[in-house]
Amino acid sequence: MIKATEMKKGMVVVVDGNPCLVIDYQHVKLGKGGAVLQTKLKNLQDGTIVTKRIRSEESLEQAFVDKQKYEYLYSSNKEYVLMHKETYEQITLSDEQFGDGPKWLKPNIDVEIHFLNGKPLTVGLPNSVELEVTDTPPAIKGATATNQYKKAVLETGVQISVPPFVENGELIRVDTRTGTYLERVKK
């Protein structure tokens, strides 16, 4: 059991008998009465997102989430096959369980799968990935006076904004949490 004020983003707590992932929370002091935590929770059983007020003096049960390293192998028909890094056991996850992973991952990248009671819940992506630029317009000479970005399509099909000096075929590092360009990678 933890106090509501000890809650953090990404933590899994039991609310109303259901395991819920804390997406966001804010400490709010109401005009009359005690302080509360305005939380945004994702129910891990059915995937719904709810907002809930929890009094700061309440206690919450923290769910035990087992985190294991897996390697992303391939996908077919919105199913994703991953292999355990030590036992080589393969599992298949659905599109819903995999979340934003498909647009950032290419085969053989390590991910972290979160299990609750032996069932896979969510996939933890690496903070950044290196992807190749497959399509972007050419740079315009002399257009460096202002910080203008251009669109680029990466090898996984996702489209992001990149600086004007990035060209087709270059390897870049992208932040998977925000979907933003970080830097060029030397081959």
Side-chain angles (χ1 to χ4, degrees):
M1 299 294 271
I2 61 166
K3 291 199 180 284
T5 54
E6 297 171 349
M7 187 176 1
K8 292 182 176 32
K9 288 182 185 179
M11 188 179 278
V12 179
V13 294
V14 178
V15 177
D16 300 330
N18 295 317
C20 296
L21 177 70
V22 179
I23 297 172
D24 197 16
Y25 69 95
Q26 186 175 12
H27 196 267
V28 179
K29 174 72 172 112
L30 301 174
K32 202 175 192 183
V36 295
L37 288 163
Q38 184 70 33
T39 61
K40 190 174 187 181
L41 305 168
K42 179 178 182 181
N43 186 328
L44 296 174
Q45 300 283 4
D46 58 15
T48 58
I49 295 177
V50 295
T51 56
K52 186 166 179 69
R53 282 189 175 172
I54 300 172
R55 292 192 327 256
S56 58
E57 62 271 4
E58 277 187 54
S59 292
L60 298 169
E61 181 183 345
Q62 186 175 2
F64 175 72
V65 176
D66 184 24
K67 298 176 182 177
Q68 296 181 15
K69 295 278 187 198
Y70 275 77
E71 181 179 339
Y72 171 66
L73 297 177
Y74 64 92
S75 64
S76 67
N77 297 334
K78 298 200 179 216
E79 289 189 337
Y80 305 92
V81 179
L82 299 106
M83 179 181 67
H84 194 276
K85 294 292 285 182
E86 294 170 8
T87 63
Y88 305 112
E89 172 191 347
Q90 291 185 7
I91 63 169
T92 303
L93 298 180
S94 68
D95 205 23
E96 183 180 288
Q97 290 170 308
F98 213 78
D100 283 345
K103 67 182 182 181
W104 301 118
L105 297 182
K106 54 185 180 180
N108 304 323
I109 290 184
D110 293 342
V111 295
E112 190 174 69
I113 299 182
H114 307 143
F115 290 87
L116 181 68
N117 301 328
K119 293 181 182 177
L121 290 177
T122 57
V123 176
L125 301 175
N127 291 341
S128 65
V129 292
E130 295 175 2
L131 297 171
E132 185 178 333
V133 177
T134 58
D135 186 33
T136 188
I140 301 170
K141 289 191 178 199
T144 57
T146 60
N147 192 10
Q148 295 179 348
Y149 278 70
K150 62 181 181 178
K151 296 290 182 190
V153 178
L154 305 179
E155 64 183 290
T156 58
V158 69
Q159 187 176 21
I160 66 165
S161 295
V162 296
F165 55 80
V166 174
E167 297 176 3
N168 287 340
E170 285 194 275
L171 200 60
I172 62 170
R173 186 167 288 123
V174 180
D175 188 329
T176 59
R177 297 164 294 188
T178 60
T180 57
Y181 166 87
L182 293 174
E183 63 185 351
R184 282 194 285 194
V185 178
K186 295 188 185 206
K187 292 184 181 181

